[in-house]
Amino acid sequence: MKRFRIADQPFDTAPLRERLLRDEAGACSIFEGWVRNHNEGRPVHGLRYEAYVELAEAEGERIVEEALARFDILGACCVHRVGDLAIGELAVWAGASAA
């Protein structure tokens, strides 16, 4: 199962969190990145993310694999949105579990 994916629609985070559950894990750290209404003092009305999906997913998968090999992480996964996102929408979700 892929540990990194690109999503072109809003996604449910509950299954992602469940993927990180391990009996030997004592903690789960989750990052959520949301679209905010400003950047560098200027108003923002939304964002548009674009990606070459195959390349982005391959590189994202490589980064997650490197983190798993380099750090004492039991599980990790990440999803990044593409397309038009409104203020307050979830743009990035990343989670990792460890002992």
Side-chain angles (χ1 to χ4, degrees):
M1 181 174 274
K2 295 194 302 185
R3 291 187 173 104
F4 180 93
R5 71 180 174 93
I6 298 292
D8 61 0
Q9 298 293 320
F11 55 91
D12 185 7
T13 61
L16 298 170
R17 184 183 169 281
E18 285 182 28
R19 286 182 57 185
L20 300 175
L21 295 175
R22 306 274 194 293
D23 288 344
E24 64 274 25
C28 176
S29 180
I30 293 171
F31 169 81
E32 292 185 348
W34 310 309
V35 178
R36 65 180 183 238
N37 68 355
H38 65 92
N39 186 49
E40 296 180 357
R42 295 173 51 192
V44 169
H45 303 287
L47 289 177
R48 177 168 182 78
Y49 285 107
E50 296 180 359
Y52 177 55
V53 174
E54 292 82 6
L55 179 61
E57 287 185 340
E59 185 64 12
E61 200 59 40
R62 186 193 66 74
I63 291 168
V64 173
E65 289 295 328
E66 181 180 331
L68 287 165
R70 192 170 175 190
F71 302 105
D72 195 13
I73 299 170
L74 298 170
C77 59
C78 180
V79 179
H80 197 299
R81 282 282 308 279
V82 292
D84 295 319
L85 282 75
I87 302 302
E89 278 195 84
L90 181 61
V92 179
W93 188 97
S97 58

